[in-house]
Amino acid sequence: MERLAPRKTPLVWRVATVRDVRTESATARTIVFDVPDWPGHLPGQHVDIRLTAEDGYEAQRSYSIASPPADHALELTVELIDTGEVSPYLVEELQRGDQIELRGPIGGYFTWQPADGGPLVLLAGGSGLVPLMAMLRHRDASGATVPVSLLVSARALPALLYRDELSCRARDGVEVSYTLTREAPSGWTGWNRRVDAEMLRAVGADPQRRPLVYVCGPTGFVEHVAELLVGLGHDPHAIKTERFGPSGG
Amino acid sequence: MDPTDEHEGEHLDGNGVAGILQQVFAADFTTFQRVCQSCGDRNMGGALRSYLGAGIVLRCANCGDVAMRVSPRDREIVVEMRGVWSVAITSS
Ligand SMILES: Cc1cc2nc3c(=O)[nH]c(=O)nc-3n(C[C@H](O)[C@H](O)[C@H](O)COP(=O)(O)OP(=O)(O)OC[C@H]3O[C@@H](n4cnc5c(N)ncnc54)[C@H](O)[C@@H]3O)c2cc1C
Ligand SMILES: [Zn+2]
């Protein structure tokens, strides 16, 4: 199978219109956009969003694309950072019909498509699940049978993204495991601690299997997990990482 | 501010500055290949570490040496690249 390269189109700002918004967790929202002349994307790519205030002040941030390439609309899932400049606007204010500037798709490095093969090991911290979700959705939509093992780390149960959808997708070669790092409800059957080497082995991140490993989340999470993986004997070149920014995970 | 004025621990990957650099190169720099002048590590632009200040500094993920410096100066952007870079440019 040939690996597709993203079509060559200049990176321009486009005015996207909010088609719909969906509550995704206690602190996150999915925003569905109609983007005129969207050139298409690969799972794992992101867009830049630009907000401009009336006085001309600009703020720009990156957001991963959650939807698979075959979808007609472009979906982003944004986690609220209370003290943040941009995420509170996206999560709490943006309404259906509103318009916003975005450009993309960006970044061919942190991407996966069926021709890349597997097995896939996807390690997500918090909203780092978003680009990995696009990969998983694309795997299913394209009928690929590559085995996937997904580990999701979040602070607490109400923060988990796409929970219902993931429980539906957890079959036919897809395994989903969770760890809650702060508080777990009684009767919780997943892990209840920070990601460690034992957990990584349990989800199939064993170098002997030669998996393709994708790690995404807050910078602290990615650093920690990448170090553990190298400690397990992985070749750093077989691990792709995407750091979302400050804070631990 | 000097673009090398970095905050340790607040770095992103090459991916995190890919939009800005796509404006500079008119190509997706995350898939450029680079061999490090210091440690010989071969990797892609997306795997470098990026530090954002007034400009951008990219460093080798293996040894930390500077791979690229992007500094805005007056009306131009000065790009310094170190190591051996191979850039695939598809003709259309
Ligand atoms: C390639 C890429 C893809 C991304 N994809 C997504 C995505 O799909 N969904 C998503 O929600 N975010 C994503 N992010 C993060 C996003 O770009 C913003 O950094 C985030 O929304 C915070 O922006 P803000 O303006 O609200 O906060 P800021 O005003 O930038 O920061 C406010 C405060 O929060 C802290 N902070 C910043 N980022 C985080 C963080 N991630 N976690 C905890 N504290 C933080 C800062 O240190 C600061 O003290 C991605 C980042 C990158 C580089
Ligand atoms: Zn090096």
Side-chain angles (χ1 to χ4, degrees):
Chain A
M1 242 189 295
E2 210 180 314
R3 197 173 197 270
L4 299 174
R7 236 180 305 158
K8 283 232 155 190
T9 25
L11 192 60
V12 292
W13 291 105
R14 297 170 205 271
V15 178
T17 306
V18 178
R19 182 198 285 192
D20 202 3
V21 291
R22 266 198 322 263
T23 299
E24 209 66 73
S25 77
T27 47
R29 197 161 80 153
T30 292
I31 308 159
V32 185
F33 289 101
D34 285 314
V35 191
D37 305 319
W38 179 249
H41 67 275
L42 298 175
Q45 289 190 296
H46 66 272
V47 296
D48 285 347
I49 282 211
R50 176 166 78 179
L51 303 182
T52 311
E54 272 165 29
D55 63 2
Y57 174 78
E58 278 181 12
Q60 200 173 303
R61 298 288 184 277
S62 301
Y63 292 96
S64 301
I65 302 170
S67 44
D71 274 21
H72 291 297
L74 186 82
E75 298 191 9
L76 309 179
T77 302
V78 182
E79 179 80 40
L80 175 72
I81 309 287
D82 283 323
T83 54
E85 206 169 26
V86 173
S87 62
Y89 175 75
L90 298 176
V91 176
E92 293 173 334
E93 286 181 43
L94 205 60
Q95 302 289 332
R96 193 174 299 168
D98 285 352
Q99 296 195 313
I100 201 168
E101 278 185 300
L102 62 77
R103 67 176 182 191
I106 298 168
Y109 169 73
F110 193 80
T111 59
W112 177 83
Q113 42 185 314
D116 295 330
L120 276 181
V121 172
L122 309 177
L123 307 168
S127 55
L129 179 55
V130 178
L132 307 182
M133 198 63 187
M135 295 176 190
L136 187 55
R137 285 168 168 166
H138 182 55
R139 171 205 181 263
D140 292 357
S142 63
T145 53
V146 172
V148 181
S149 175
L150 167 66
L151 172 64
V152 179
S153 169
R155 278 183 210 148
L157 198 61
L160 287 179
L161 301 175
Y162 316 127
R163 203 151 171 241
D164 293 342
E165 184 183 336
L166 281 175
S167 66
C168 298
R169 291 192 188 275
R171 56 189 185 88
D172 301 335
V174 178
E175 273 180 52
V176 182
S177 337
Y178 294 98
T179 185
L180 300 178
T181 55
R182 298 233 176 120
E183 48 180 280
S186 61
W188 173 249
T189 53
W191 283 294
N192 186 200
R193 56 176 199 266
R194 210 171 174 221
V195 174
D196 58 24
E198 187 201 324
M199 218 180 275
L200 291 177
R201 259 187 241 108
V203 301
D206 175 348
Q208 306 294 322
R209 290 177 71 225
R210 307 188 128 267
L212 300 178
V213 187
Y214 292 79
V215 190
C216 187
T219 299
F221 173 86
V222 173
E223 297 282 290
H224 172 69
V225 172
E227 238 167 72
L228 289 172
L229 288 166
V230 171
L232 284 176
H234 284 271
D235 174 2
H237 296 92
I239 307 168
K240 290 196 173 176
T241 57
E242 180 158 272
R243 291 163 173 84
F244 272 10
S247 101
Chain B
M1 196 174 80
D2 181 36
T4 54
D5 188 7
E6 301 149 6
H7 304 278
E8 196 53 53
E10 294 200 0
H11 61 275
L12 301 175
D13 310 271
N15 239 4
V17 292
I20 306 170
L21 289 180
Q22 190 150 338
Q23 299 294 92
V24 175
F25 292 108
D28 177 13
F29 121 97
T30 68
T31 60
F32 292 3
Q33 292 278 345
R34 171 180 175 270
V35 178
C36 183
Q37 73 280 3
S38 302
C39 71
D41 192 46
R42 171 187 289 275
N43 222 327
M44 299 221 275
L48 297 170
R49 301 201 166 168
S50 65
Y51 299 81
L52 207 54
I56 298 168
V57 178
L58 291 157
R59 291 181 177 277
C60 172
N62 186 49
C63 75
D65 216 0
V66 173
M68 191 193 301
R69 228 184 267 274
V70 182
S71 333
R73 256 177 232 166
D74 299 327
R75 290 214 194 116
E76 44 184 34
I77 294 176
V78 178
V79 182
E80 298 160 74
M81 295 167 86
R82 302 180 63 194
V84 179
W85 290 78
S86 25
V87 180
I89 294 168
T90 0
S91 50
S92 49

